[in-house]
Amino acid sequence: MDEKDRLLLAALRKDGRRTLVALARDVGLSRSATQERLDRLLRSGVIRGFTTIEDGPAADGVAAYFLLRHEPGRSCAQLVPKLRRIPGIVTMDAVAGAIDLVVRAEAADIRGIETIRAAIVGLPGVAEVTTQMVLERFQ
């Protein structure tokens, strides 16, 4: 990934609805070169999809962060494929420190968050889960 790719990703983070022509102008490339870079970033998994950001936690629903510690001898890489199968999980980040993985989940209500938490706790290899409910989201 080079500087043009980083500029393209920054422009998409700022406004994912920018036209291809506007993105090309932002990064200083032709429209076709910009399209080729976008396609390559998608194929390589750097960009895994496009989403919307709505007002409030989970767009009038609720959101929570789950702080996971895996069992000794396990790794985040082993847990992530299992976590991806749980509906409502939107992001997963491996972190340094006492916590191994930070998982963000969204649901229509608290009961949905409890269902997600129960699914996480039930996974083999998960040693501990702490839940942090989102009260307000700032952008």
Side-chain angles (χ1 to χ4, degrees):
M1 191 154 67
D2 64 11
E3 186 59 30
K4 294 291 186 181
D5 289 338
R6 284 188 269 288
L7 288 171
L8 183 56
L9 290 172
L12 286 168
R13 276 188 212 102
K14 189 173 183 181
D15 181 3
R17 294 192 55 180
R18 286 186 68 72
T19 65
L20 189 57
V21 172
L23 288 170
R25 193 171 35 246
D26 290 345
V27 298
L29 295 171
S30 69
R31 188 203 64 74
S32 60
T34 302
Q35 182 67 60
E36 288 173 14
R37 282 180 182 266
L38 274 174
D39 292 343
R40 183 175 42 78
L41 291 168
L42 281 162
R43 277 193 314 275
S44 69
V46 171
I47 297 174
R48 290 186 292 175
F50 298 90
T51 188
T52 59
I53 298 173
E54 302 166 7
D55 289 335
D60 296 327
V62 293
Y65 287 96
F66 299 106
L67 311 177
L68 278 66
R69 282 190 330 103
H70 52 69
E71 293 174 346
R74 299 291 182 123
S75 71
C76 292
Q78 293 171 318
L79 286 175
V80 167
K82 297 170 188 166
L83 290 164
R84 281 196 176 119
R85 293 187 208 122
I86 299 173
I89 291 180
V90 293
T91 62
M92 294 176 279
D93 297 297
V95 296
I99 301 301
D100 297 310
L101 195 64
V102 177
V103 176
R104 180 180 167 86
E106 298 177 349
D109 53 30
I110 296 292
R111 214 176 286 266
I113 293 294
E114 290 171 343
T115 300
I116 295 166
R117 185 182 195 290
I120 293 170
V121 169
L123 290 175
V126 173
E128 182 180 326
V129 178
T130 301
T131 306
Q132 301 289 317
M133 293 298 301
V134 174
L135 300 177
E136 186 174 357
R137 186 170 187 190
F138 301 98
Q139 299 208 22

